[in-house]
């Protein structure tokens, strides 16, 4: 059971680590790709798309559906990579704190 006094005891350290974590998240970027890198998408730590690159070979007006699918797949790949980086950063930054219920 979580003791609220333990949480209060660590509140200064938690605030400091949370601010550091926010700064680290802003700096994260990840690139996802699909179709053998025919489509690449770059996301930041806020899950905002920063860039998209399309290989001209996949821009075929006769197969727009394929291009749409490649963009969605590349975005999903980048999203997964950003989430992994956030998880790693969170664990490393919060790992030193004894925060009940956090599981780090």
């Amino acid at each position: 059971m979580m003791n609220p006094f333990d949480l209060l005891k660590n509140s200064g350290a938690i605030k400091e680590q949370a601010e550091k974590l926010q700064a680290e998240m802003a700096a994260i970027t990840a690139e996802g790709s699909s179709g053998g890198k025919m489509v690449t998408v770059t996301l930041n730590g806020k899950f905002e798309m920063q860039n998209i690159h399309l290989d001209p070979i996949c821009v075929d007006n006769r197969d727009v559906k394929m291009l749409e699918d490649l963009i969605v797949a590349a975005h999903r790949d980048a999203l997964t990579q950003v989430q992994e980086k956030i998880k790693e950063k969170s664990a490393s930054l919060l790992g030193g704190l004894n925060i009940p219920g956090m599981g780090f």
Side-chain angles (χ1 to χ4, degrees):
M1 177 173 241
M2 183 170 63
N3 181 346
F5 294 107
D6 287 339
L7 194 56
L8 288 174
K9 183 171 59 173
N10 289 325
S11 66
I14 292 170
K15 182 179 179 191
E16 181 182 316
Q17 290 297 71
E19 289 169 356
K20 186 175 179 181
L21 185 59
Q22 283 183 326
E24 295 272 345
M25 295 305 116
I28 288 176
T29 61
E31 183 178 279
S33 66
S34 65
K37 293 206 173 206
M38 289 195 315
V39 174
T40 58
V41 169
T42 304
L43 298 181
N44 67 15
K46 296 178 181 179
F47 306 106
E48 299 166 334
M49 189 180 301
Q50 299 297 297
N51 190 26
I52 184 167
H53 174 76
L54 305 174
D55 185 321
I57 197 167
C58 70
V59 182
D60 181 351
N61 63 359
R62 294 169 293 170
D63 199 356
V64 172
K65 181 64 178 145
M66 178 196 71
L67 179 56
E68 291 169 345
D69 291 344
L70 288 172
I71 291 169
V72 169
H75 183 270
R76 188 176 303 121
D77 185 36
L79 182 66
T80 299
Q81 291 184 46
V82 167
Q83 289 171 330
E84 273 302 309
K85 288 182 178 187
I86 287 173
K87 184 178 173 184
E88 290 169 13
K89 288 281 185 191
S90 298
S92 68
L93 289 175
L94 298 176
L97 293 177
N98 183 16
I99 304 172
M102 288 299 286
F104 291 115

